[in-house]
Amino acid sequence: MKKIVIIGLFSLLLCLAVVSAGNSTEVSFDTYKSQGVYLYEHDEVRFSLLGDEHVIIVEDVGKSSVKLDIGAFIGNSTKMFPGLVGMDYINKVDLDKDGITDLNVALYSIDADGRIMLVLQDVTDESLDEITGNIGLVDSNPDMDGFNKNYLLI
């Protein structure tokens, strides 16, 4: 009887651990300097910039903003930094702490089910400072009523 109870408790704890763990998505800036990614709370997006791997974890999804944990793994450092991004503002991230923005993080949408779309833009290339117009076309999302094609400005 004790074995059945122990196995049941172990199974329950295992299920809770699986439910609370998020998914991991890899993003590459090799072809396009701006990448959109769909995520849910506790999901993470991993990417390489400045010769190192980095991570952004979605901590909390609100009605118009998202709390993030940003891990810049420059020089084997694993310190996480808090971040916040909203529908009307961009989080400018300095990954190597040299005073120059390396990555722009924008919140494009929050769906009713909690799915968000983050747009990440690699701004490590100095020539990107000269971009003043539209940087790309964002395809329509059938989950977003009333939206067709929009230009995303970062």
Side-chain angles (χ1 to χ4, degrees):
M1 183 66 169
K2 283 184 179 181
K3 286 183 181 182
I4 293 173
V5 171
I6 291 172
I7 291 173
L9 287 174
F10 180 73
S11 298
L12 178 65
L13 290 174
L14 182 62
C15 288
L16 290 176
V18 170
V19 169
S20 65
N23 293 320
S24 184
T25 303
E26 293 280 334
V27 170
S28 171
F29 296 109
D30 293 339
T31 305
Y32 300 105
K33 295 296 182 183
S34 293
Q35 296 290 330
V37 60
Y38 286 107
L39 302 165
Y40 287 93
E41 198 166 282
H42 304 296
D43 285 356
E44 69 179 24
V45 59
R46 293 185 169 272
F47 55 94
S48 292
L49 273 181
L50 304 171
D52 281 308
E53 284 287 318
H54 312 284
V55 65
I56 296 176
I57 301 171
V58 178
E59 285 299 319
D60 184 47
V61 176
K63 290 184 180 187
S64 63
S65 64
V66 175
K67 290 181 185 176
L68 306 170
D69 275 339
I70 301 166
F73 301 129
I74 299 290
N76 296 324
S77 171
T78 58
K79 185 171 182 180
M80 301 296 282
F81 300 94
L84 183 67
V85 65
M87 296 299 287
D88 56 352
Y89 52 94
I90 295 171
N91 190 324
K92 296 183 177 211
V93 181
D94 179 9
L95 294 168
D96 56 2
K97 303 298 178 200
D98 65 353
I100 299 171
T101 300
D102 301 310
L103 180 75
N104 288 335
V105 181
L107 177 62
Y108 183 74
S109 67
I110 301 176
D111 294 344
D113 66 350
R115 182 178 77 161
I116 66 167
M117 181 179 193
L118 286 182
V119 178
L120 309 178
Q121 182 184 31
D122 172 4
V123 292
T124 58
D125 186 3
E126 292 177 24
S127 65
L128 287 176
D129 292 337
E130 300 173 6
I131 295 176
T132 59
N134 297 325
I135 59 166
L137 185 64
V138 177
D139 292 329
S140 62
N141 180 352
D143 297 331
M144 297 172 55
D145 294 335
F147 287 85
N148 289 321
K149 292 193 178 202
N150 301 300
Y151 286 98
L152 179 65
L153 298 175
I154 296 183

